[in-house]
Amino acid sequence: STRAGSGSTAAGGLAEQLPGPMAALCALSRVAKWFAAVHVLLLLVEALMGTAATLFPPFSLLLLIGIVPCIVGYVGASRFDHRLVVVYLAFCLTLIGYSAYVTYVVPTIWKLLLLLLQVYMCRVVLRFYRWLLRLSAAEREHTLSELRATGRATLMPW
């Protein structure tokens, strides 16, 4: 049946075509890509204006280098490649350690909220990584071909 005029998108069509777990995996992929983009933004802000820039300016360069794992994670989430996603996951864990340290050194409510956000983001990326490990090569290719043909899933992973 056609859905013209009903306001649904191709993303809704994909969610209906894929089995529940695969649609959830597609949604986790989309969320992981958003988180990678948010991490890039947060790293830029922290490197240019944050505690790293004032306490130890050379450390700002390391934060800018941290953009690379975010891009790797974005590509991994797009391709459902667990090897690339684990690089981003390791970066997320490292960033939690850094955020905890900065929150300890300069305790502000903003830093604490960012730390909690980092933990949540890492939790979602870890869930996505675990799902990718369970995915067979055939399932991965099928899902990627469905995504290329019809768009994105709209199910939320939580």
Side-chain angles (χ1 to χ4, degrees):
S1 71
T2 179
R3 293 185 169 239
S6 68
S8 70
T9 63
L14 179 62
E16 293 170 1
Q17 293 172 11
L18 292 175
M22 296 309 287
L25 182 68
C26 292
L28 280 170
S29 169
R30 192 172 96 222
V31 171
K33 290 189 288 188
W34 271 104
F35 286 170
V38 168
H39 269 132
V40 168
L41 178 66
L42 290 175
L43 285 171
L44 287 173
V45 169
E46 180 67 21
L48 300 177
M49 301 175 358
T51 306
T54 56
L55 290 179
F56 189 60
F59 196 66
S60 293
L61 180 61
L62 289 176
L63 289 175
L64 292 176
I65 292 171
I67 291 173
V68 173
C70 295
I71 294 170
V72 168
Y74 187 92
V75 171
S78 297
R79 296 180 181 174
F80 292 165
D81 189 339
H82 70 279
R83 295 168 298 189
L84 299 179
V85 173
V86 78
V87 170
Y88 179 55
L89 182 60
F91 167 78
C92 290
L93 292 170
T94 304
L95 198 57
I96 287 173
Y98 168 75
S99 295
Y101 172 74
V102 169
T103 302
Y104 176 75
V105 172
V106 184
T108 64
I109 192 70
W110 174 247
K111 297 291 184 191
L112 181 61
L113 290 174
L114 280 178
L115 175 61
L116 294 174
L117 178 65
Q118 296 287 351
V119 170
Y120 175 75
M121 293 166 83
C122 186
R123 180 179 158 260
V124 173
V125 172
L126 177 62
R127 182 182 299 169
F128 177 57
Y129 174 71
R130 287 179 177 166
W131 278 54
L132 286 178
L133 288 178
R134 290 186 235 141
L135 200 62
S136 71
E139 291 171 323
R140 176 181 170 264
E141 287 305 316
H142 172 72
T143 304
L144 284 173
S145 66
E146 287 292 322
L147 284 171
R148 289 184 196 113
T150 60
R152 291 179 251 172
T154 56
L155 287 178
M156 298 309 292
W158 44 83

